[in-house]
Amino acid sequence: MSTGNVAADQLRLLIERIERLEEEKKGISDDIKDVYLEGKATGYDPKIMRQIIALRKMPPHDRQEMEAILQTYLSALGME
């Protein structure tokens, strides 16, 4: 087997793996969308659910710093 064939086979396998992962990613994305729709159907706000998820991903220190800055800005604008 020549080096060109080995490289072509390797490339094909990599492309096929990426395609399978893309399909899985779409499936997971659809599942997540369904969970948000389920939350909405039970009375929860999907926008707020997304914000909570983003906050939960943040390190506690970064989240506290962001909340402090937000409070400062709201106070400066008289929106407390």
Side-chain angles (χ1 to χ4, degrees), residues 56-76:
R56 287 172 55 113
K57 288 180 185 179
M58 295 174 73
H61 179 267
D62 290 348
R63 185 176 62 241
Q64 291 166 350
E65 182 180 343
M66 185 195 69
E67 289 171 354
I69 292 169
L70 177 61
Q71 285 300 338
T72 301
Y73 286 14
L74 290 173
S75 179

Side-chain angles (χ1 to χ4, degrees), residues 2-76:
S2 71
T3 306
N5 288 340
V6 171
D9 288 342
Q10 184 180 26
L11 176 60
R12 182 183 48 77
L13 290 173
L14 290 169
I15 296 298
E16 288 172 355
R17 279 176 54 198
I18 291 170
E19 289 172 340
R20 278 192 307 274
L21 290 169
E22 289 290 340
E23 287 176 21
E24 289 176 26
K25 184 170 77 169
K26 184 186 180 322
I28 291 171
S29 180
D30 290 344
D31 291 345
I32 292 170
K33 181 181 175 184
D34 290 343
V35 174
Y36 280 113
L37 289 173
E38 181 181 339
K40 184 175 183 177
T42 57
Y44 297 107
D45 186 331
K47 288 181 187 179
I48 302 303
M49 292 170 62
R50 289 180 194 281
Q51 287 179 342
I52 290 170
I53 290 169
L55 289 171
R56 287 172 55 113
K57 288 180 185 179
M58 295 174 73
H61 179 267
D62 290 348
R63 185 176 62 241
Q64 291 166 350
E65 182 180 343
M66 185 195 69
E67 289 171 354
I69 292 169
L70 177 61
Q71 285 300 338
T72 301
Y73 286 14
L74 290 173
S75 179

